[in-house]
Amino acid sequence: MSKKALITGVTGQDGSYLVELLLKKKYEVHGLVRRTSTFNRGRIEKFLNLKNDKQNKKFILHYGDLVDSGSLTKILSKVKPNEIYHLGAQSHVGTSFEIPEYTLEATGYGTLKLLEAIRNLKIYPKIYQAGSSEMYGNFSANKLNENSSFHPRSPYAAAKVYAHWIAVNYREAYNMFISNGILFNHESPNRGENFVTRKITLGAAMIYLGLRKKLVLGNLEAKRDWGYAKDYVEAMWLMLQQKKPDDFVISTGKSHSVRDFCKIVFGLLNLDYKKFVISDKKYFRPTEVDSLEGDSAKARKLLGWQPKTSLKSLAKIMLKSDIEYIKKLK
Ligand code: NAP
Ligand code: G4F
């Protein structure tokens, strides 16, 4: 019998790559989706086989919400998954300053609600909890690893620190199999359009096609350790194939500034980014995370995981996809 996985956040960037990976591995995949006024299945549509009018029996969606514990209990008791990938969150750092209460509700408290529902139902799935490098707040002299301390610099990061520690607590208190991934930024053509890398590839593609003159960004000096989402979902799966739960940093170990990424992307189009990119204070955050760089030695050793995609290759993949996307829209 095939294993059953439940994914929260299945409509998001990582959800879409994880569905693809798990279906390839012959899992029966269940996803939790929110009711939205516009249909938001774009990233996972191809796995639903909607066009053939034949529902994919291996990929099933359920309405629910992380702020609605009743819906979580209902889905969990119906599906009884072997593995849960908990990716659902209000994941935009900048926006978390605008909606801090909701961010905590969904990202922090939502994690507790999910864990409580699992515990009360007395089911024993392996659980992946989507932690973030934002929890560190800043890069010190050494690369950040599982032992580095947290200093959250946004309502989002504070909510993720709560989610991380409640997961550790449930693991220790109730012997639940919960692994925290501490993932550094990872990007792809499926990245939300208001995260900086996608904003840059989409903006550069529009400028290249003559549809736009300028690209307005915020802080160009911030540095991030950017990897490819497709590589990172493999690490999530590997964490749940281990005998013991644990916490793992997933990163490339190399960081670049937003300015560097602009240079790479516009450079691929033979354009000089300085002629097009503007930095505007309106996109600056009240507290910024200036620099992040991760040390994923533990994951490399224990999971046998390593990143496969360089930043330049990632930029190429995203840019190509955005040029095609805009041409189709036109
Ligand atoms: P994303 O694209 O923003 O997707 C977030 C997902 O969460 C979406 O499916 C969204 O549903 C869902 N969601 C939001 N609020 C919800 C709620 N109240 N109830 C149920 N579902 C809800 O994020 P991502 O980039 O795929 O990231 C996946 C997870 O990893 C997130 O927890 C994120 O915080 C974390 N993370 C991401 C990165 C990164 O660089 N991408 C790094 C570290 C950690 P809708 O489609 O309906 O909005
Ligand atoms: O792309 P970002 O919005 O990603 P951020 O804030 O690092 O958060 C992402 O990665 C985290 C992992 O570390 C995840 F946990 C989180 O869920 C999310 O996926 O911004 C990256 C950097 C920031 O320093 C920001 O200030 O880019 C800077 N930036 C400069 N101009 C901009 C812009 N960010 C955005 N979103 N938009 C801009 O115009």
Side-chain angles (χ1 to χ4, degrees):
M1 237 182 37
S2 52
K3 274 195 201 171
K4 280 190 209 176
L6 173 67
I7 305 175
T8 72
V10 72
T11 52
Q13 170 188 254
D14 291 2
S16 63
Y17 289 103
L18 189 59
V19 170
E20 187 174 20
L21 179 79
L22 296 177
L23 287 174
K24 260 194 205 142
K25 291 189 182 293
K26 307 286 178 214
Y27 278 66
E28 181 178 305
V29 182
H30 294 257
L32 181 150
V33 289
R34 302 195 281 180
R35 191 266 158 185
T36 46
S37 69
T38 50
F39 206 56
N40 70 346
R41 314 279 195 271
R43 293 177 175 121
I44 51 171
E45 215 166 20
K46 62 181 173 192
F47 309 116
L48 289 165
N49 289 347
L50 291 177
K51 285 196 184 118
N52 304 338
D53 227 16
K54 263 196 269 155
Q55 206 205 331
N56 182 351
K57 291 201 179 105
K58 290 279 180 193
F59 182 34
I60 300 139
L61 300 179
H62 307 263
Y63 277 109
D65 199 299
L66 288 163
V67 304
D68 178 349
S69 49
S71 69
L72 300 177
T73 301
K74 206 166 66 191
I75 296 167
L76 287 165
S77 53
K78 194 169 164 191
V79 176
K80 295 198 181 66
N82 307 96
E83 294 174 10
I84 297 179
Y85 296 86
H86 174 41
L87 311 180
Q90 190 306 91
S91 78
H92 198 278
V93 175
T95 308
S96 77
F97 289 97
E98 311 296 327
I99 49 168
E101 289 177 33
Y102 176 71
T103 301
L104 175 60
E105 195 72 40
T107 309
Y109 199 21
T111 303
L112 173 64
K113 285 183 186 190
L114 181 69
L115 297 181
E116 251 318 79
I118 295 164
R119 188 172 81 86
N120 288 331
L121 284 168
K122 298 193 169 38
I123 53 174
Y124 303 96
K126 289 182 168 180
I127 303 157
Y128 170 81
Q129 201 289 119
S132 162
S133 53
E134 281 294 303
M135 298 188 295
Y136 293 121
N138 259 320
F139 175 55
S140 57
N142 301 316
K143 289 188 189 188
L144 298 155
N145 67 20
E146 294 78 5
N147 301 317
S148 307
S149 55
F150 296 148
H151 184 135
R153 300 261 294 165
S154 63
Y156 165 79
K160 281 288 181 188
V161 170
Y162 174 78
H164 174 94
W165 283 116
I166 200 66
V168 172
N169 179 247
Y170 271 51
R171 182 165 77 204
E172 292 172 354
Y174 307 119
N175 206 18
M176 288 165 70
F177 189 115
I178 313 171
S179 287
N180 285 300
I182 306 177
L183 271 55
F184 283 63
N185 299 51
H186 44 282
E187 320 292 314
S188 73
N190 284 355
R191 186 56 142 156
E193 292 175 15
N194 59 353
F195 293 91
V196 78
T197 55
R198 183 79 200 286
K199 198 170 159 185
I200 294 167
T201 56
L202 199 55
M206 289 177 92
I207 288 168
Y208 175 68
L209 295 171
L211 295 172
R212 224 206 232 186
K213 291 201 161 42
K214 297 284 174 197
L215 171 61
V216 186
L217 301 173
N219 178 10
L220 302 182
E221 310 316 326
K223 291 174 90 181
R224 290 291 182 275
D225 178 333
W226 281 297
Y228 185 22
K230 207 169 178 172
D231 296 345
Y232 284 38
V233 298
E234 282 182 16
M236 297 175 188
W237 178 77
L238 283 168
M239 283 180 219
L240 298 200
Q241 311 316 306
Q242 306 307 304
K243 288 216 170 74
K244 284 192 312 198
D246 207 339
D247 302 330
F248 294 95
V249 161
I250 300 298
S251 65
T252 69
K254 294 188 187 103
S255 81
H256 296 84
S257 66
V258 172
R259 186 184 294 283
D260 292 337
F261 194 72
C262 290
K263 223 181 273 179
I264 294 174
V265 171
F266 282 83
L268 288 169
L269 299 167
N270 290 322
L271 297 173
D272 177 2
Y273 81 97
K274 287 195 221 89
K275 292 191 179 139
F276 305 99
V277 174
I278 297 168
S279 167
D280 189 320
K281 290 268 182 240
K282 84 173 172 203
Y283 290 117
F284 280 54
R285 294 162 184 183
T287 39
E288 173 65 288
V289 173
D290 297 321
S291 182
L292 289 172
E293 198 169 298
D295 170 7
S296 58
K298 180 174 169 184
R300 289 172 195 241
K301 185 165 174 227
L302 299 183
L303 304 179
W305 177 87
Q306 57 175 12
K308 298 179 193 136
T309 315
S310 71
L311 188 60
K312 190 162 181 195
S313 306
L314 174 61
K316 270 189 198 159
I317 294 169
M318 292 175 70
L319 190 57
K320 182 168 179 281
S321 160
D322 276 334
I323 290 174
E324 279 163 15
Y325 169 66
I326 295 164
K327 279 186 178 163
K328 254 189 230 154
L329 283 185
K330 267 179 45 173

